[in-house]
Amino acid sequence: SRGVECWGANGKGESTPPALADPRAVTAGRNHTCAIDGLTVKCWGSNEFGQVSPPPLENPTAISAGYNHTCVIDVGKVKCWGLNDNGQASPPELVNPKSLALGFDFSCALTESGVRCWGNGDLDQTSPPELVDPTAITAGFAHACAIDKTGVKCWGYNTFGQSSPPLLVHPTTVVAGIRHTCAVDQSGIKCWGDNRDGQTIVPPMTLPKLIEAGANHTCVLNDKGVKCWGLNDGGQSSPPESKNARSMVEGDLHTCVLDDEGVKCRGSNLYG
């Protein structure tokens, strides 16, 4: 069996996943969480904007949560729900979408023809630069990054330097928080941008199998389990023990892990 585990302060519920029969992927927004469970999606937490009320789906294969909206790739199409005040939940026509990255009020997709973004673009977060065969994307509060043949390229909000990556050698992964960004290259993990909560100070560790960023914290999965750093006021950076963790996601003040036992979450639980 498999499941998802989350951790952190527990007020009303992002840390309490529903029963999941076959969880295959999990994603976390500000105060909500969603998981692909078999041929459907189940969400929990705040539903103020309908962000935990997915539409009918046939076979979702990828999922990403923004601040108050969520999108999936379902039979070759992107479908979104939740807050749509800036069009962030209204995707354009996309050619063979492969992956998704959602920010505060904008969304991006990696497609057969490159990276497409939609929603609020007041800080150019929906205007990616020229990219050469991009392979990965990530989105923060109002900035986004991609990995292409030339390395990591970022665009959008850059007040804290979150869109100005350092020198990276053969980067393989990039993840974005609200105002910070981290990447894995051949020398290890490098983070840049806002460091007011220690979110860019990487502790010593072996190379990660996976890295994910929350609002103001970051977590990695390596051969020793899950380790997090940064803001921890709700316990979101204090993971419990997990059994063969496969993946993890971070929201604003909560974090979830998918392991052999299911989906487990910890952190602020004010919205369930």
Side-chain angles (χ1 to χ4, degrees):
S1 65
R2 297 179 295 170
V4 177
E5 178 170 351
C6 310
W7 57 92
N10 200 12
K12 287 185 189 172
E14 325 50 333
S15 301
T16 310
L20 300 170
D22 182 26
R24 294 185 283 123
V26 62
T27 185
R30 182 192 181 199
N31 293 316
H32 76 287
T33 312
C34 295
I36 295 177
D37 188 33
L39 298 180
T40 188
V41 168
K42 292 181 180 178
C43 301
W44 60 97
S46 173
N47 197 36
E48 181 181 1
F49 305 104
Q51 63 266 48
V52 301
S53 300
L57 301 169
E58 297 179 53
N59 184 20
T61 54
I63 189 167
S64 180
Y67 214 60
N68 289 305
H69 71 296
T70 311
C71 297
V72 298
I73 297 175
D74 184 40
V75 195
K77 293 184 178 297
V78 174
K79 298 178 181 179
C80 304
W81 60 94
L83 185 62
N84 196 32
D85 56 340
N86 285 288
Q88 63 267 41
S90 298
E93 288 295 323
L94 300 167
V95 180
N96 189 20
K98 301 175 182 179
S99 62
L100 301 165
L102 275 57
F104 174 67
D105 54 3
F106 74 105
S107 308
C108 295
L110 176 62
T111 76
E112 193 174 272
S113 56
V115 174
R116 291 281 305 277
C117 300
W118 61 94
N120 186 7
D122 61 349
L123 295 170
D124 293 327
Q125 63 268 48
T126 58
S127 301
E130 183 176 350
L131 300 168
V132 182
D133 296 330
T135 57
I137 54 173
T138 186
F141 180 81
H143 77 291
C145 300
I147 297 177
D148 72 356
K149 283 189 174 181
T150 67
V152 171
K153 290 183 179 177
C154 301
W155 60 95
Y157 186 43
N158 196 35
T159 298
F160 296 89
Q162 64 268 44
S163 294
S164 300
L167 178 64
L168 300 167
V169 181
H170 303 304
T172 58
T173 307
V174 62
V175 295
I178 285 185
R179 293 178 294 266
H180 78 286
T181 313
C182 296
V184 179
D185 71 358
Q186 68 179 24
S187 65
I189 302 169
K190 295 178 180 177
C191 298
W192 60 96
D194 186 13
N195 190 44
R196 288 177 292 180
D197 295 299
Q199 60 267 54
T200 66
I201 300 176
V202 183
M205 69 182 70
T206 58
L207 281 176
K209 301 174 184 176
L210 179 68
I211 182 171
E212 293 288 350
N216 294 297
H217 69 296
T218 308
C219 297
V220 301
L221 169 63
N222 60 19
D223 55 2
K224 295 183 179 180
V226 177
K227 187 170 186 175
C228 306
W229 64 94
L231 187 64
N232 196 32
D233 56 349
Q236 66 269 38
S237 292
S238 300
E241 292 185 6
S242 56
K243 284 192 175 182
N244 297 320
R246 293 173 171 80
S247 65
M248 75 240 163
V249 291
E250 292 94 79
D252 188 3
L253 297 173
H254 73 293
T255 305
C256 298
V257 167
L258 172 63
D259 72 0
D260 282 352
E261 297 178 333
V263 176
K264 304 170 185 176
C265 303
R266 295 290 184 275
S268 174
N269 200 27
L270 293 176
Y271 299 93

